[in-house]
Amino acid sequence: MTETVLEPVREPVRAPVLSVRDLSVSFRSDTRTVHAVDSVSYDLAPGEVLALVGESGCGKSVTSMAVMGLLPPTAHIGGSIRLGGRELVGATEKELQKVRGKDIAMIFQEPMTSLNPVLTIGRQIGEVLRRHQGLSKKEAKARAVELLDLVGIPAPQRRIDEYPHQLSGGMRQRVMIAIAVACDPSVLIADEPTTALDVTVQAGILEVLQSLRERLGTAIVLVTHDLGVVADAADRVLVMYAGRTVEQAPVHDLFGSSRHPYSRGLLGAVLRPGGEGKRRLPEIPGLVPSLDSQPDACTFAPRCSRADDTCTSGRPGFKAIDLQAGVDALHRVACWHPYGADDAAATTPAPDTLDTTDQEAGE
Ligand SMILES: Nc1ncnc2c1ncn2[C@@H]1O[C@H](COP(=O)(O)OP(=O)(O)O)[C@@H](O)[C@H]1O
Ligand SMILES: [Mg+2]
C-alpha cells in the first residue's frame, strides 16, 4: 500500500520585482574615496512596502539613486540591481531611460524642485504619457485627469491647467506621485516624500501611497527617518548604518523584537521618559564613522554598549536569526552579539502602540 503523503501547504513564492545584491557605491576624488554604500542587499516583492531607515548620511538616498541609475559619473557602482529580471548595473544611459519612469519611478522630498514652474501640471503629466506610451495630446489630457483623481487632487479638470506655484506643498507632492505612476511602474522609490510637509498633509500622502499599492500593485521603497511613517506604512524594514545594512525584518518584528543594538537604540528611545510622541530618529551617543575606509569590523562598535574585541576585529555577516529559515529569511541581522527574542530589557513598542499623531513643536 502506498502511503499518501500530503504536500505541505506553502505560501506562493512571489518572484521579487526588484533584487539588489551586494550593492556598493563609492565616490572617488583626487584626495579621498567615500564608501557611501557597502554590500547592501534586499528584495522587493510585488506590492510590498519596504522602508529604508537610518540616520542622515547612512546611504539611503545613494542606494535609491543607484537603483534609479541617477548617480553622477563620479560614482563607482558594484554588485547587481535586477528589475524584473533585467540587470541595471552597467546598463547604458539609453537603456536606463527606457526603464526610468516606465518600470521604476522616484519621488523626492521637495516636489517644487522637480516640477517645471513654467508648464501646467497637465502638460507635465501629459509629457510622460506621450513619451512612454505614445498617447495623443487629447488622450494624454484625459489620462492626466484620471491620474490627478487617483492621487486625491480635488477638481482635477480645473487643476490640470494650473501651474505648480498655484498648488500647496502637499498637492505638489501628489502631482509628483501622479507623474511617477503615470506609466504604472512596478516599483516606486519615495525618498523622504513627507519630510517637508506638515503632519496632516503627510498622512494624506501616505494614504495615497497605500492606495497605489492596493489599486495598482505598485511595490514601494519608502526612504524615511520618521518612525511613525515606518509603523504606519511599511511591511518590512531595512535598517542602514554607515552605508551597510545592519538589520532587516518584517515591521512587527522590528518594533517588537529588534536584534541589533543600533535598531534598539533608534526604536527604544521612543519609549524613554519624555520620548513619547517623538517620531524622528533619536540621537544615539557617538558619531557616525567616516566613510573613507571599509573597516573589517562592525562599524557600530565604537557606539555600542555590547561591543567587545570580536566586534572590532571582524565584520559580522548579515545572517538569518532563524537558521532554519535559510536564504529566504525575512529577519536578518549583522551583529556579533545580537539581542535574543526574549531580551525584554530593550524590547521596543509594537507599531500600533506608537503615538504617530503627535509631533514635536517646530518640526
Ligand atoms: N555625489 C556625491 N559625491 C560624494 N559623496 C556623496 C555624494 N552623494 C552622497 N555622498 C555621500 O554619501 C553618503 C551617504 O549619503 P546619502 O545617501 O545622501 O545619505 P542619507 O540619504 O542616508 O541621508 C554621505 O556621506 C554623503 O556625503
Ligand atoms: Mg537622503
Side-chain angles (χ1 to χ4, degrees):
M1 202 178 97
T2 319
E3 193 186 15
T4 312
V5 180
L6 287 175
E7 282 287 307
V9 179
R10 286 173 192 241
E11 288 276 305
V13 178
R14 292 187 300 169
V17 273
L18 176 66
S19 204
V20 175
R21 285 290 168 281
D22 295 321
L23 177 69
S24 295
V25 180
S26 55
F27 297 97
R28 290 177 205 164
S29 70
D30 291 345
T31 49
R32 62 189 287 231
T33 298
V34 174
H35 301 278
V37 176
D38 185 355
S39 301
V40 165
S41 298
Y42 67 83
D43 282 337
L44 186 69
E48 183 181 38
V49 178
L50 174 74
L52 222 59
V53 297
E55 284 161 294
S56 177
C58 71
K60 304 182 297 293
S61 293
V62 172
T63 301
S64 305
M65 297 293 270
V67 172
M68 288 298 294
L70 287 175
L71 288 171
T74 48
H76 290 251
I77 306 169
S80 162
I81 300 167
R82 295 188 78 82
L83 179 72
R86 193 176 343 182
E87 179 60 57
L88 300 185
V89 172
T92 62
E93 181 52 30
K94 207 170 162 201
E95 288 166 327
L96 288 170
Q97 274 177 7
K98 280 194 204 142
V99 173
R100 267 198 306 262
K102 188 162 164 286
D103 301 312
I104 188 164
M106 186 161 177
I107 50 171
F108 301 90
Q109 182 175 331
E110 188 24 86
M112 200 57 196
T113 52
S114 317
L115 287 170
N116 187 333
V118 298
L119 297 181
T120 63
I121 57 173
R123 174 96 186 269
Q124 296 187 55
I125 301 173
E127 266 179 19
V128 182
L129 292 165
R130 296 181 69 190
R131 177 151 34 97
H132 284 299
Q133 300 194 325
L135 299 191
S136 69
K137 228 173 173 175
K138 203 171 154 207
E139 288 165 337
K141 188 164 182 184
R143 178 81 184 117
V145 170
E146 281 172 21
L147 284 162
L148 290 184
D149 189 45
L150 178 76
V151 298
I153 293 186
Q157 290 280 9
R158 180 165 54 81
R159 289 288 171 146
I160 205 154
D161 294 321
E162 291 185 349
Y163 291 87
H165 73 267
Q166 293 174 279
L167 304 176
S168 68
M171 286 296 151
R172 285 200 289 263
Q173 190 58 294
R174 285 171 195 255
V175 171
M176 285 311 300
I177 297 173
I179 292 173
V181 301
C183 299
D184 197 8
S186 50
V187 176
L188 176 67
I189 300 185
D191 192 349
E192 312 257 6
T194 61
T195 303
L197 305 170
D198 76 46
V199 147
T200 45
V201 181
Q202 283 185 11
I205 297 293
L206 290 178
E207 268 169 36
V208 171
L209 293 178
Q210 292 286 11
S211 85
L212 292 176
R213 168 257 271 286
E214 279 156 27
R215 289 166 70 176
L216 308 178
T218 319
I220 299 172
V221 179
L222 182 61
V223 177
T224 180
H225 58 260
D226 187 325
L227 296 171
V229 168
V230 174
D232 283 345
D235 299 313
R236 213 149 49 82
V237 188
L238 195 69
V239 183
M240 289 186 69
Y241 182 74
R244 298 179 180 178
T245 43
V246 296
E247 188 158 7
Q248 165 193 297
V251 69
H252 270 85
D253 289 355
L254 191 90
F255 281 88
S257 75
S258 58
R259 307 302 181 92
H260 199 285
Y262 178 64
S263 311
R264 292 226 171 178
L266 295 180
L267 298 160
V270 181
L271 262 197
R272 274 178 217 138
E276 294 84 359
K278 283 211 175 101
R279 310 179 77 205
R280 306 280 162 182
L281 294 187
E283 296 279 323
I284 297 177
L287 287 176
V288 177
S290 147
L291 299 173
D292 287 17
S293 65
Q294 291 172 293
D296 198 11
C298 171
T299 45
F300 187 59
R303 296 168 80 184
C304 182
S305 59
R306 293 165 80 86
D308 63 12
D309 288 350
T310 313
C311 308
T312 51
S313 55
R315 179 175 175 167
F318 193 44
K319 292 196 213 97
I321 57 165
D322 172 7
L323 292 175
Q324 309 264 306
V327 288
D328 295 329
L330 287 178
H331 198 159
R332 290 178 172 273
V333 67
C335 179
W336 290 113
H337 305 299
Y339 286 100
D342 308 322
D343 255 321
T347 300
T348 47
D352 36 16
T353 64
L354 265 181
D355 181 352
T356 57
T357 53
D358 209 0
Q359 183 92 354
E360 278 179 291
E363 279 191 339

